[in-house]
Amino acid sequence: LILLDAGDTLQGSPSNYFFNYRYVPNSPLPIIRLMNQLRYDAVALGNHDLEPPLHVLQKNMHFSNFPWLAANVVKENGEMLLSPYHIIERNGIRLGVLGLLTPGTAMWVDRSHLAGYVIEDMLDSAKHWGRVLKEEKRVDVLIGLFHSGHNLRYDQYAALNQGVPLPNAAGLIADSLVMFDLIISGHAHRIYPRRQTSILRKFRTPIVSPGFWGAGISVAKLMLQQQEGNWKIHHTEYDFVPADAHVSSEMLATVENDWEEVQHYLQEKTVVSITAIPDKESFYQCGTELSHAVVKILGAEKDWSLLPGRWRWKPFAQEELHQPLKRLHLFRWLPHDNFLVQTQLYGRQIQILLKPYRQQQKGIKSYGAYLAPGGFSVDSPNSLIPQKRYPVWLTNYHWNGGRGMRAEALLHPSQKQRVTSETLRDLVFAFLQNPANELPVVCSQFLEKR
C-alpha cells in the first residue's frame, strides 16, 4: 500500500488557520499528526500550502514523517525548495513519485512567500525528472503526484497575460510523456473516476483525481509481473471510495486536545443575533456591505474598496435562529485566509476591475467572481478620471493575480501601499463584535444587534 496526497494540506480549515496564525505551539498541525499516524508516503506541495508564510511550511515539514515534493520550485542558482521526488521500495519493486506544483501559484500567493523561488513549467520539469527516475534511478513504476488540474484551458488566459507557465498541465503531461505509469491530479476539485473501472480513456497515461475536502480516496491497483528481469504493469484497476460518515475514535483521540481548543475559538460570539434565514441575494449583499464596512476599522473612511461581491453561500440551519452569530459562521462564508491590500489605482484600472460587476448589474451572468465597489458610486463609471490615482482596498488574492485581475488591469507593484495583519474574515468578526458599529441596512433583514 502506497498512501499519497496531492497537496493543499496546510490551509482550508479553521484548525489549520488557528494553529498557523493564532496559536503557535512547538508541535505539528493536527492534520500532520493524523497523516503521520496514517503513515503517508509522500505529499505534493499545493498552492494553498504557500498561503501562510514560508516558515509555517518549513515548521510542518519538520514534523512530517513523510517527504514533501515539488520538482519545479527552484531558484536561479538551481537551489530547490523541496525534494523533487521520492523513491519507495516494496517487495523488490522500485516506485518513483515525482511531485509538481501548479505554476499558477505565482498568481495567487504573496510574492514574499516564494522567497526568491520561481515555479517552472510543469511539462519541462516532468520530462527532465521523469528521465532521471527512469534512466538513472531505474524505477519500475513512475507516478506523477501533481497539484494541477488536467483542463489545460482553465486559468490559461490569466497565466499567459502574466507570463506564467500553464497552471493546469496534468493532462498535457499525461498525453505527452508516456514514461509515467499513473498521474494523481489534485487542485481542480474533481473526482475521476467515480466508479470501479480497469480502463481510463481520457489521456494516454491514466489520471486519477481524488476529489477535495476529504470526500474520499482514489484507489489505483497496479498488478505487475516480471519480464526479462524487469517489472511490467499487466493490469490495472481504479476506483473512488467515499469517506465513511463514521469518525474513528482512535484517530479523534490523537487530536482531541487540539479539537477542543479550535472549538472554543470557533464558538466566540459577536453582538449580533440571527433572526431569519435570508435569501441568497440578500445574503450576498449583506456580506458585501460588511466587507466594505471593515475598511473603516482600518481608519480609512475616505478610502474606496473593491471587494468580493459574493461570500460562500452557506445558509443558517433552523436551530441557529435567535442564536448569536459566531466566528464559526464567518469561516463558513469566508473560508480563504485573504488579507486586505491598500493600493493606489488609476481611474482606468478601476473601470477595468468593475467590468464584471457592471455586467452582473445588467443581468449578464458570467463565470467567476466579481468585485463590488465600496465608498463610491459606479452609476457613471466614466466619471472616474483615467489618469488620476484613487485609494482602493483589494484582497491580496486579487492583488496577486487571482481571476486574472492583476494582468487585466495592469496592476504594478509600486501601487501597493500596505497589507493588513488580519484577514478579511477576522476584520469582519471584529466589526460584528463591537457594539458601537451599526449593521448595514440590508443585513437587518436577517441579523440584529443583541
Side-chain angles (χ1 to χ4, degrees):
L1 175 66
I2 308 296
L3 189 55
L4 305 170
D5 188 276
D8 278 358
T9 305
L10 301 183
Q11 197 204 36
S13 75
S15 65
N16 285 2
Y17 177 78
F18 177 73
F19 287 105
N20 281 338
Y21 289 99
R22 312 302 262 170
Y23 175 67
V24 190
N26 188 28
S27 61
L29 282 173
I31 186 67
I32 299 299
R33 192 177 293 119
L34 290 171
M35 293 173 77
N36 285 342
Q37 186 170 341
L38 288 167
R39 295 165 57 188
Y40 270 77
D41 290 284
V43 171
L45 184 68
N47 55 287
H48 284 299
D49 299 322
L50 288 168
E51 289 284 357
L54 193 57
H55 69 82
V56 174
L57 170 64
Q58 293 168 334
K59 169 190 164 185
N60 285 288
M61 286 173 54
H62 171 75
F63 287 110
S64 300
N65 295 339
F66 47 83
W68 290 70
L69 308 177
N72 59 329
V73 185
V74 299
K75 286 186 175 179
E76 289 185 359
N77 62 4
E79 178 186 342
M80 306 193 73
L81 178 65
L82 305 177
S83 301
Y85 60 81
H86 180 53
I87 296 176
I88 303 167
E89 294 198 30
R90 298 279 166 86
N91 299 327
I93 300 173
R94 288 168 58 82
L95 299 97
V97 182
L98 176 67
L100 291 175
L101 170 66
T102 170
T105 303
M107 301 189 293
W108 308 317
V109 306
D110 291 344
R111 301 303 189 270
S112 60
H113 292 188
L114 287 169
Y117 290 91
V118 297
I119 306 173
E120 297 181 330
D121 180 80
M122 289 182 59
L123 179 60
D124 290 343
S125 296
K127 189 180 300 182
H128 169 75
W129 290 106
R131 286 174 178 167
V132 169
L133 284 164
K134 290 292 261 187
E135 297 173 10
E136 296 180 21
K137 302 301 179 181
R138 309 294 296 175
V139 298
D140 300 299
V141 177
L142 179 57
I143 300 173
L145 188 61
F146 300 163
H147 191 79
S148 169
H150 51 68
N151 181 354
L152 195 63
R153 298 180 65 180
Y154 191 83
D155 278 334
Q156 181 182 30
Y157 175 73
L160 291 173
N161 270 343
Q162 295 193 51
V164 171
L166 294 169
N168 292 289
L172 177 64
I173 295 171
D175 277 341
S176 303
L177 303 178
V178 293
M179 67 178 77
F180 284 90
D181 297 296
L182 174 69
I183 290 175
I184 301 167
S185 167
H187 179 63
H189 290 203
R190 296 288 183 265
I191 297 175
Y192 180 78
R194 289 183 174 270
R195 58 188 60 85
Q196 188 173 4
T197 181
S198 60
I199 300 175
L200 298 180
R201 299 185 183 278
K202 281 190 175 182
F203 302 96
R204 294 175 69 193
T205 300
I207 290 184
V208 297
S209 298
F212 55 102
W213 300 339
I217 57 172
S218 289
V219 178
K221 293 182 179 179
L222 311 181
M223 274 63 81
L224 293 88
Q225 61 182 177
Q226 212 164 27
Q227 297 177 1
E228 299 177 355
N230 297 316
W231 289 101
K232 300 292 183 182
I233 297 174
H234 73 88
H235 182 68
T236 55
E237 291 181 6
Y238 310 96
D239 200 359
F240 180 77
V241 181
D244 196 329
H246 172 71
V247 178
S248 164
S249 57
E250 179 185 358
M251 298 296 289
L252 192 60
T254 303
V255 293
E256 187 171 5
N257 292 336
D258 297 332
W259 178 249
E260 290 179 359
E261 289 193 61
V262 173
Q263 287 304 305
H264 178 75
Y265 171 68
L266 294 176
Q267 294 303 314
E268 292 179 7
K269 301 174 182 177
T270 69
V271 297
V272 174
S273 291
I274 304 162
T275 59
I277 298 177
D279 61 79
K280 190 179 292 188
E281 287 307 313
S282 297
F283 172 79
Y284 287 152
Q285 292 173 19
C286 174
T288 300
E289 292 303 316
L290 284 172
S291 295
H292 293 310
V294 304
V295 171
K296 297 180 180 179
I297 297 178
L298 306 174
E301 291 86 351
K302 296 182 180 179
D303 283 8
W304 295 352
S305 46
L306 288 170
L307 298 175
R310 288 181 175 174
W311 287 6
R312 178 169 290 173
W313 171 242
K314 293 280 186 178
F316 303 108
Q318 284 289 340
E319 57 267 23
E320 294 179 298
L321 291 177
H322 311 297
Q323 298 297 316
L325 194 69
K326 301 176 182 178
R327 193 185 290 275
L328 172 65
H329 293 103
L330 294 173
F331 270 93
R332 291 180 191 168
W333 303 331
L334 293 168
H336 301 295
D337 303 336
N338 290 324
F339 296 82
L340 295 185
V341 180
Q342 186 183 38
T343 67
Q344 289 284 330
L345 300 186
Y346 288 104
R348 179 58 183 147
Q349 292 175 310
I350 297 172
Q351 291 172 344
I352 293 170
L353 292 174
L354 280 172
K355 183 179 178 181
Y357 173 80
R358 295 201 302 270
Q359 290 177 330
Q360 190 75 20
Q361 293 298 100
K362 294 177 181 177
I364 303 173
K365 304 294 182 182
S366 59
Y367 165 76
Y370 60 88
L371 301 183
F376 67 104
S377 172
V378 294
D379 293 337
S380 302
N382 292 329
S383 64
L384 290 167
I385 302 173
Q387 296 83 12
K388 182 180 176 179
R389 283 191 174 196
Y390 300 88
V392 181
W393 290 84
L394 303 168
T395 67
N396 65 329
Y397 171 74
H398 292 112
W399 166 258
N400 290 332
R403 301 295 184 187
M405 293 181 181
R406 184 184 184 92
E408 189 79 17
L410 298 178
L411 302 180
H412 192 271
S414 64
Q415 295 178 277
K416 178 180 177 181
Q417 303 294 300
R418 68 185 177 105
V419 182
T420 60
S421 59
E422 299 286 319
T423 64
L424 173 59
R425 179 179 55 238
D426 287 335
L427 291 169
V428 172
F429 181 77
F431 179 89
L432 295 171
Q433 262 197 326
N434 189 341
N437 292 329
E438 293 297 327
L439 284 172
V441 174
V442 67
C443 298
S444 300
Q445 298 179 38
F446 58 96
L447 300 175
E448 68 176 12
K449 291 173 65 175
R450 293 188 285 127

